[in-house]
Amino acid sequence: MNKVCEILGTEYPIIQGAMAWIAEGNLASAVSNGGGLGIIAAGGRDAEWLRAEIRRTRELTDKPFGVNIMLLAPNVDELMDVVCEEKVAVVTTGAGNPGKYIPKLKEAGIKVIPVVANVTLAIRVARAGADAIVAEGTEAGGHIGETTTMALVPQMVDAVDCPVIAAGGIADGRGIAAAYMLGADGVQIGTRFLVADECIVHPGYKGAILKAKDSSTVATGRSTGHPVRVIKNKLAKKILRLEAENADEEQINQLCTGTLAAAVRDGDADNGNIMSGQIAGLVKKEQPAAEIIEEMFKEAADVFASRKGII
Amino acid sequence: MNKVCEILGTEYPIIQGAMAWIAEGNLASAVSNGGGLGIIAAGGRDAEWLRAEIRRTRELTDKPFGVNIMLLAPNVDELMDVVCEEKVAVVTTGAGNPGKYIPKLKEAGIKVIPVVANVTLAIRVARAGADAIVAEGTEAGGHIGETTTMALVPQMVDAVDCPVIAAGGIADGRGIAAAYMLGADGVQIGTRFLVADECIVHPGYKGAILKAKDSSTVATGRSTGHPVRVIKNKLAKKILRLEAENADEEQINQLCTGTLAAAVRDGDADNGNIMSGQIAGLVKKEQPAAEIIEEMFKEAADVFASRKGII
């Protein structure tokens, strides 16, 4: 059996990417019902919301699902308490090393899968007891590192003993098959799930993903040391201009205030902060999450079979 | 037969990356003798040098090899004349659309393979008659675009009819197998050939590649619109600092003058401009070029066979 499926308790070795204010019970349960691991993103949420959302998701699926916790969140301790009390199946983490929480999470029977963008941190979280690691390339949407999936995955696989799950640049069966060749035992996919029927993001946001081409995203925030991949719209261009002019971080933060809500809730394709991976150009169709999963893994098998000749 | 092998006239579907001041007859002939397509980089060279180098390479191999020509070179017309007169097997091009040269190159029996970093340009060069296209991801060394190999290759494969050759982030059989899954029919590899025994670059440069980790490279020049991936050494940090301070492009150019020679000829690991891909962290051993090629393609077949279970 696939090691990642064993850890996740799923039919397919796929985790839905955590997308703040987007990934909640509707999407998470749809992904889990489709045989993947749905994720509730706790970023920007309080403990009460998270507890209620976990319970609501349990009513929508009897399959395992997970919660993503940003380690820099001011309420991280409270959020960790909630997932332990509610005993979710998996916790994925962002922005650091969840080491100090791992004993408590394991005691609650929770698998811990940090999302990591470089090999140094991967070695550290593996030593701290991570069950698997998501190797996230710079082509992913949202907060990113600098190394690409193609370069990062094999270097991480060589450096750690636990399973590696590839993220960034994957939106179809070709990407899944490629990730397997690089040594990953599973994938994490965000961008394609943005257009899942069950994803609650505003249709304007979905439209921006469906319209995107290969060069439609850009990393803002590199000058501040916190790059974020977004659709290159009016807002993104304004941010880049301020960065090029060496504007205060304060001024940039002010420009960004409320722009995630403008994207997610209002679907403002010009002035919203539309986080997206570079692979958005491959995403062409709104579908149920379960159909996306089935289609991608079928395609991965077909691609693998059809490429036998070239090898 | 593999379509790329057919076009290149080689045993393996692999092109050696063009590296200015580094890729000359010694490396090119070694790669061609090893069953790949060796490339002489014409960047920064004059027509006389190129003609002599092509003739010298012919004495070192009876296999096909190619020449890389930067379309922004001031002497591009002369260089094109030389390759047509000398009838090299393949011309790869950088920095644009070689369309206006294609009729003349084809008349001389030369295959034309542009190196391209986005889908829009790929569509244009395919229409102009390119025989194949190298899809180069941002993880590659030297002058780069912004889209990663994982995201770029499948989007380019969907957009053009000619074969696509993946470049960027590939230094072993896992990368080759992954490129095949993404739909590429061949690979272009630069960084790993930097440490080939036959590569004339200074041992200090090779040492910097062999010591590199996954996070050892950085893209300088983003602020000027011409990003270049290099090892993050003293020089690179100085350039980045100047860029962050919004220094004149003139001042940055002045700092960079002579630094490629310092890297290539003197092996100055601190103050030389050591161009390298992000995959340098996987490159651990100096070997003959032929051994590198054979080892990588054997590994690609092994990886493919061993991953059958997971698919």
Side-chain angles (χ1 to χ4, degrees):
Chain A
M1 190 184 182
N2 180 299
K3 283 181 281 185
V4 169
C5 289
E6 215 168 304
I7 291 165
L8 304 180
T10 56
E11 186 185 348
Y12 297 103
I14 180 172
I15 301 178
Q16 164 232 316
M19 302 173 284
W21 296 100
I22 297 173
E24 40 69 84
N26 292 302
L27 180 58
S29 61
V31 169
S32 288
N33 283 331
L37 188 83
I39 294 282
I40 299 169
R45 306 287 196 169
D46 61 30
E48 290 63 46
W49 179 89
L50 180 58
R51 192 185 304 275
E53 200 62 15
I54 291 169
R55 292 183 179 178
R56 191 172 77 86
T57 306
R58 283 231 168 87
E59 285 167 24
L60 299 170
T61 183
D62 53 7
K63 301 275 177 65
F65 61 89
V67 169
N68 176 265
I69 299 181
M70 300 300 292
L71 297 167
L72 294 175
N75 60 344
V76 53
D77 288 335
E78 285 173 69
L79 298 172
M80 287 290 179
D81 286 345
V82 170
V83 294
C84 288
E85 286 157 20
E86 297 295 324
K87 296 189 191 312
V88 297
V90 176
V91 163
T92 65
T93 60
N97 181 352
K100 71 182 236 201
Y101 300 104
I102 289 184
K104 187 181 151 128
L105 289 162
K106 295 222 160 173
E107 209 174 297
I110 298 171
K111 305 289 186 187
V112 185
I113 306 181
V115 179
V116 169
N118 63 72
V119 172
T120 307
L121 182 56
I123 292 171
R124 242 184 283 144
V125 303
R127 277 202 199 121
D131 293 286
I133 303 175
V134 174
E136 189 179 65
T138 189
E139 53 269 76
H143 291 83
I144 50 173
E146 289 291 348
T147 308
T148 74
T149 301
M150 198 87 171
L152 182 62
V153 170
Q155 297 188 63
M156 200 183 287
V157 166
D158 288 347
V160 298
D161 286 329
C162 66
V164 170
I165 296 164
I170 306 170
D172 68 8
R174 293 175 289 187
I176 294 174
Y180 286 156
M181 296 303 127
L182 296 175
D185 288 318
V187 295
Q188 177 178 286
I189 289 180
T191 302
R192 184 150 176 196
F193 285 124
L194 278 169
V195 302
D197 291 341
E198 299 88 349
C199 179
I200 52 112
V201 80
H202 190 283
Y205 195 127
K206 293 188 182 188
I209 301 299
L210 294 168
K211 269 196 305 219
K213 297 183 177 170
D214 61 304
S215 318
S216 295
T217 72
V218 73
T220 58
R222 271 205 176 105
S223 68
T224 68
H226 301 288
V228 180
R229 186 168 302 286
V230 298
I231 295 286
K232 201 196 301 176
N233 61 5
K234 269 193 196 168
L235 171 68
K237 287 176 192 163
K238 270 190 215 166
I239 298 172
L240 292 175
R241 210 173 309 128
L242 282 179
E243 290 191 77
E245 292 165 0
N246 269 354
D248 289 351
E249 210 172 317
E250 184 47 42
Q251 202 183 341
I252 298 174
N253 290 342
Q254 213 174 326
L255 176 63
C256 293
T257 304
T259 55
L260 185 56
V264 173
R265 206 185 43 203
D266 310 331
D268 187 337
D270 290 330
N271 301 303
N273 195 357
I274 305 201
M275 300 191 191
S276 165
Q278 283 187 341
I279 203 68
L282 274 192
V283 177
K284 294 291 173 219
K285 197 166 67 170
E286 297 182 65
Q287 289 165 284
E291 196 178 296
I292 291 174
I293 296 172
E294 208 176 328
E295 190 177 295
M296 288 194 299
F297 280 92
K298 187 184 176 311
E299 190 189 10
D302 290 348
V303 165
F304 184 79
S306 75
R307 298 303 269 170
K308 195 171 184 347
I310 199 171
I311 300 256
Chain B
M1 189 181 182
N2 180 299
K3 285 181 278 186
V4 170
C5 289
E6 215 169 305
I7 292 165
L8 305 179
T10 56
E11 186 184 347
Y12 298 103
I14 178 170
I15 302 179
Q16 164 232 314
M19 302 173 283
W21 298 100
I22 296 175
E24 39 69 84
N26 293 302
L27 180 59
S29 61
V31 168
S32 288
N33 284 330
L37 188 85
I39 294 282
I40 298 169
R45 307 288 196 168
D46 62 30
E48 291 64 44
W49 179 89
L50 179 59
R51 191 184 305 276
E53 199 63 15
I54 291 169
R55 292 183 179 178
R56 192 173 76 84
T57 306
R58 283 231 166 86
E59 286 167 22
L60 299 171
T61 184
D62 54 5
K63 302 278 177 64
F65 60 90
V67 170
N68 176 265
I69 298 181
M70 299 300 292
L71 296 166
L72 293 175
N75 60 344
V76 54
D77 289 336
E78 286 174 67
L79 297 172
M80 288 289 181
D81 286 345
V82 171
V83 295
C84 288
E85 286 156 23
E86 297 294 327
K87 298 191 191 309
V88 297
V90 176
V91 163
T92 64
T93 59
N97 182 352
K100 70 182 238 202
Y101 300 104
I102 288 184
K104 188 181 150 128
L105 289 162
K106 296 224 160 171
E107 209 175 296
I110 298 172
K111 305 290 186 188
V112 185
I113 306 181
V115 179
V116 170
N118 63 72
V119 172
T120 307
L121 182 56
I123 292 170
R124 244 185 281 146
V125 304
R127 277 201 199 122
D131 293 286
I133 303 174
V134 174
E136 189 178 66
T138 189
E139 52 268 77
H143 291 83
I144 51 173
E146 289 291 347
T147 308
T148 73
T149 301
M150 197 87 173
L152 182 62
V153 171
Q155 297 189 64
M156 200 182 289
V157 165
D158 287 347
V160 299
D161 285 329
C162 66
V164 170
I165 296 164
I170 305 170
D172 68 8
R174 292 175 290 188
I176 294 174
Y180 286 156
M181 296 305 126
L182 296 175
D185 287 318
V187 294
Q188 177 179 286
I189 288 180
T191 302
R192 184 151 176 194
F193 285 125
L194 279 169
V195 301
D197 291 342
E198 298 89 349
C199 178
I200 52 112
V201 80
H202 190 283
Y205 195 129
K206 294 188 181 188
I209 302 298
L210 294 168
K211 268 194 306 215
K213 298 183 176 169
D214 62 304
S215 319
S216 295
T217 72
V218 73
T220 59
R222 270 204 177 107
S223 67
T224 68
H226 301 288
V228 180
R229 185 168 302 287
V230 299
I231 296 284
K232 200 197 300 175
N233 61 7
K234 269 191 196 169
L235 171 67
K237 287 176 193 164
K238 270 189 216 166
I239 299 171
L240 292 175
R241 212 172 309 129
L242 282 178
E243 290 190 78
E245 291 163 0
N246 268 353
D248 287 351
E249 208 171 320
E250 184 49 43
Q251 202 184 339
I252 296 174
N253 290 342
Q254 213 174 324
L255 176 64
C256 293
T257 303
T259 55
L260 185 56
V264 173
R265 206 184 45 203
D266 309 331
D268 187 337
D270 290 331
N271 301 303
N273 196 356
I274 305 202
M275 298 191 191
S276 165
Q278 282 187 342
I279 203 68
L282 272 191
V283 177
K284 294 291 173 217
K285 197 164 69 170
E286 297 183 65
Q287 288 166 283
E291 196 178 296
I292 290 174
I293 295 171
E294 208 176 325
E295 190 177 295
M296 288 192 301
F297 281 92
K298 187 184 174 313
E299 190 189 8
D302 290 349
V303 164
F304 184 79
S306 76
R307 299 302 272 171
K308 194 169 183 349
I310 200 170
I311 300 256

